[in-house]
Amino acid sequence: MRDIKFLWNRFWRWVRNILIFFFVSSILAVIAFKWVPVYRTPLMYIRCIEQYIDGKDPQIKHQWVDMNQISRHMPAAVIASEDSHFLEHNGFDEKAILQARLVALEGGKERGASSISQQTAKNVFLWQGHSWIRKGLEAYFTFLIEKIWGKERIMEVYLNSIEMGDGIYGVQACANENFHKTASELTQKDAALIAATLPNPLVYDSANPSKYMEKRRKDIIAGMNYLRNNNKDPSWGVDPATIKSEATPQEEKNNGKKNNKNSKKKKR
């Protein structure tokens, strides 16, 4: 009897120590990532394994950029597309979750209702899947990043870590690969097109948009305009219109000559 009691107490001490280690380490990790760039995520390595299994060369195209190096259109685009109440909720869009559950109960197609905060927590700290354990951990990390990071940092990490194509992660890599631009130069149309791919970036390609994606882009632009007109458009990021031309002096001179020729033709 004493042996059983001893083993039981030892078991619970072991469980207690594991829980203490988990909570302390997870909180410290969230605090660290409030300032430290997230260069790699679990999903990146999972995709590399999948690429290897499929006989492809594993690749990770990713480059971290701060929010002041990202077009201001990009946060607005993903909010309009993925989480219209991002600036208002505490990490969980209860209305969207309830609507998704009602649709599923009525026999409709099950759809995701994860907020940008939840997606960020999953991308940075967890793995893909639909198990209750992962969902519970996702809720825990979502609560932490909402309290410790704040909305702007969540958006910054989200835009740098989200999958945007096969082997492409983050807005800077996507802008380089698919638009031959930097993240700061993305226009409203570019940002809306990228946001249109996010439900399934391995199927939808912002470099070769389908008719469905073009329609989605128009809807997202309408949503972006609604946010701006109702003062719900976050002021994060840089305005592409303020970016100075990176053309060389000779190129600028040549461009100036072309503009003068065009203006003379118009006068004639």
Side-chain angles (χ1 to χ4, degrees):
M1 191 72 179
R2 289 182 178 179
D3 290 340
I4 294 174
K5 188 175 181 180
F6 170 77
L7 291 172
W8 183 255
N9 290 335
R10 190 173 182 180
F11 169 76
W12 279 112
R13 281 200 300 271
W14 180 74
V15 172
R16 180 198 63 189
N17 291 338
I18 288 178
L19 289 175
I20 291 173
F21 173 78
F22 169 73
F23 284 117
V24 172
S25 61
S26 61
I27 292 171
L28 289 175
V30 172
I31 292 173
F33 281 132
K34 180 177 174 66
W35 295 282
V36 178
V38 181
Y39 292 114
R40 291 291 182 268
T41 66
L43 178 62
M44 294 180 188
Y45 294 114
I46 291 171
R47 292 294 190 230
C48 282
I49 294 171
E50 292 175 350
Q51 289 169 347
Y52 178 78
I53 292 172
D54 292 338
K56 302 177 182 177
D57 292 330
Q59 59 179 345
I60 298 176
K61 296 176 182 177
H62 175 260
Q63 184 181 348
W64 175 275
V65 286
D66 295 333
M67 185 63 82
N68 59 12
Q69 295 175 288
I70 298 174
S71 167
R72 67 178 179 83
H73 296 302
M74 207 59 239
V78 295
I79 289 175
S81 173
E82 297 289 295
D83 186 0
S84 59
H85 301 293
F86 173 69
L87 297 176
E88 303 161 11
H89 61 60
N90 62 355
F92 306 93
D93 190 341
E94 296 175 359
K95 290 182 179 179
I97 293 171
L98 180 59
Q99 288 176 355
R101 291 302 303 157
L102 289 174
V103 170
L105 290 172
E106 292 174 358
K109 184 179 179 181
E110 187 175 350
R111 60 181 182 179
S114 293
S115 67
I116 286 175
S117 301
Q118 288 175 275
Q119 293 180 52
T120 305
K122 177 183 66 178
N123 289 338
V124 176
F125 300 103
L126 301 170
W127 62 94
Q128 304 296 305
H130 299 283
S131 67
W132 286 108
I133 293 175
R134 194 199 64 75
K135 281 291 184 183
L137 291 172
E138 179 185 294
Y140 167 72
F141 278 107
T142 298
F143 171 80
L144 287 183
I145 64 175
E146 279 280 339
K147 294 298 182 182
I148 296 174
W149 290 2
K151 295 293 186 181
E152 183 174 355
R153 178 59 176 176
I154 290 172
M155 179 60 72
E156 184 176 48
V157 174
Y158 175 81
L159 292 177
N160 273 284
S161 62
I162 194 72
E163 187 177 29
M164 293 184 171
D166 188 14
I168 301 174
Y169 305 91
V171 64
Q172 179 74 348
C174 184
N176 289 338
E177 290 292 320
N178 294 348
F179 298 87
H180 308 293
K181 298 178 178 180
T182 63
S184 62
E185 297 170 324
L186 292 170
T187 65
Q188 185 185 51
K189 288 184 177 181
D190 297 334
L193 188 58
I194 292 173
T197 70
L198 297 184
N200 196 338
L202 297 182
V203 173
Y204 304 128
D205 184 1
S206 56
N208 299 290
S210 62
K211 290 183 179 180
Y212 168 76
M213 287 181 62
E214 292 289 358
K215 181 180 181 301
R216 281 281 296 142
R217 169 158 62 178
K218 291 179 181 178
D219 293 340
I220 292 170
I221 289 175
M224 294 168 71
N225 291 334
Y226 173 83
L227 291 174
R228 185 178 66 249
N229 294 335
N230 288 274
N231 297 319
K232 294 184 178 181
D233 183 358
S235 58
W236 310 322
V238 62
D239 186 347
T242 65
I243 299 172
K244 293 182 179 179
S245 172
E246 295 182 359
T248 64
Q250 184 60 42
E251 288 174 331
E252 290 181 349
K253 187 177 180 180
N254 292 337
N255 290 335
K257 290 180 179 179
K258 289 180 181 179
N259 291 334
N260 288 335
K261 288 181 180 179
N262 292 333
S263 61
K264 287 179 181 178
K265 287 180 180 179
K266 287 180 180 179
K267 287 179 180 179
R268 290 174 185 174

